[in-house]
Amino acid sequence: MAEPARQIDLIDARPAFTQTQADALNARFEGVDTITMLKTVFAEGLAGNVAVVSSFGTESAVLLDLVAKADPTVPVIFVDTLKMFAETLHYRDTLIKRFGFTDSRTVAPIADVIAKKDETGLRWSYDPDGCCEIRKVEPMKRAKEGLDAWISGRKAFQSVTRQNLPRFEVEDGRLKLNPLGDWNKVELEAYFEAENLPRHPLESQGYLSIGCEPCTSKVMPGEDPRAGRWRGWDKVECGIHSPVTPIPVIDPEDPANQPVF
């Protein structure tokens, strides 16, 4: 009996999603309301294995409510840096229960890494980038393993670094959804009121953007909503939101892309 032909092992190095696909999704859902978009994405499996990432900050309830209305089985991922406000942890539990999510996941820093790189717990005070790397970026990377896409709560109005935010983008081969990217503060407030959503306990005290307790301060009138994050440092993001470089569209007619043989 002849032996079966040997299978050639191939490594598929292509990204799960390309910028071309993200552009197509942006075009398809242009002008479509957020809840309809989310329901369609989930129902048609357009994002593959997807989860929503939430900081459970002052505006998080809007996105979580929309996702839950679209599909409450979508996993919710929270990165507990072990430096969070107690109020944030309580708010997380409140919203998960309120919206009926069935898959709530919490990921934390690796204990051995913290012991080696932040033994005193004060790295935030002299190296906030390094602190974010071990307490948020690395855990987030682990949490996204196995995901084809993830949903972010970023909005264009929050800071100058988030302007021109598309609904769909590609980051490290994963599709990244920003369902509230084009929402403004007035729309968010109207949604909070219409749905009677719970507020973060610290918002009324002047905390408009809430992260880790040591690096979060109150926002003064007239300041950027994220001005209270890492105050005094030349830092505006924790690092989980990397700048996206669009993948160029390949022209098959370009001689450079023709087969050699």
Side-chain angles (χ1 to χ4, degrees):
M1 181 175 178
E3 294 185 3
R6 179 177 179 273
Q7 295 293 321
I8 300 176
D9 294 329
L10 296 176
I11 297 177
D12 186 357
R14 294 173 301 173
F17 285 92
T18 66
Q19 189 61 40
T20 299
Q21 291 171 304
D23 292 341
L25 288 169
N26 280 317
R28 174 179 175 178
F29 291 105
E30 183 176 1
V32 177
D33 63 276
T34 306
I35 186 64
T36 299
M37 180 197 74
L38 287 172
K39 286 182 177 179
T40 304
V41 168
F42 297 151
E44 297 185 13
L46 299 178
N49 186 18
V50 61
V52 59
V53 175
S54 180
S55 65
F56 291 90
T58 57
E59 297 165 350
S60 296
V62 172
L63 177 60
L64 291 170
D65 184 61
L66 288 165
V67 171
K69 282 181 167 63
D71 186 351
T73 68
V74 170
V76 180
I77 297 174
F78 171 68
V79 178
D80 184 356
T81 64
L82 309 182
K83 292 286 185 182
M84 310 303 289
F85 285 94
E87 290 87 346
T88 295
L89 301 179
H90 177 70
Y91 192 51
R92 172 199 58 188
D93 297 341
T94 298
L95 294 186
I96 291 295
K97 182 178 180 179
R98 162 74 179 263
F99 300 142
F101 282 106
T102 59
D103 187 351
S104 175
R105 308 174 185 178
T106 297
V107 61
I110 298 173
D112 288 347
V113 173
I114 296 298
K116 293 176 181 178
K117 297 187 176 183
D118 193 14
E119 182 180 6
T120 64
L122 296 174
R123 186 161 184 164
W124 61 269
S125 65
Y126 60 87
D127 180 20
D129 284 337
C131 187
C132 284
E133 176 63 33
I134 61 176
R135 291 183 179 273
K136 192 152 192 179
V137 178
E138 191 282 327
M140 187 69 246
K141 183 178 179 180
R142 278 187 283 116
K144 290 189 294 185
E145 290 178 358
L147 294 180
D148 301 312
W150 62 292
I151 303 170
S152 156
R154 290 187 303 168
K155 304 158 202 72
F157 79 86
Q158 289 176 320
S159 70
V160 295
T161 62
R162 298 183 174 188
Q163 292 178 352
N164 302 317
L165 194 64
R167 274 182 163 181
F168 299 88
E169 58 184 342
V170 175
E171 184 178 279
D172 298 328
R174 289 187 181 87
L175 188 66
K176 186 173 180 180
L177 287 69
N178 305 302
L180 303 183
D182 58 351
W183 283 46
N184 58 42
K185 189 63 175 177
V186 173
E187 291 170 320
L188 287 170
E189 292 300 318
Y191 194 92
F192 260 102
E193 294 299 322
E195 301 298 327
N196 192 29
L197 300 181
R199 296 280 186 169
H200 193 293
L202 294 176
E203 184 177 8
S204 62
Q205 299 180 34
Y207 294 91
L208 303 187
S209 180
I210 300 172
C212 295
E213 185 171 3
C215 298
T216 301
S217 59
K218 297 180 181 180
V219 175
M220 300 296 105
E223 286 188 318
D224 184 295
R226 288 177 61 83
R229 304 288 292 277
W230 306 286
R231 189 177 293 279
W233 291 92
D234 183 19
K235 179 177 174 63
V236 294
E237 296 281 359
C238 64
I240 66 171
H241 298 296
S242 304
V244 176
T245 301
I247 300 173
V249 177
I250 296 177
D251 180 3
E253 300 303 321
D254 188 332
N257 296 317
Q258 297 298 314
V260 176
F261 302 105

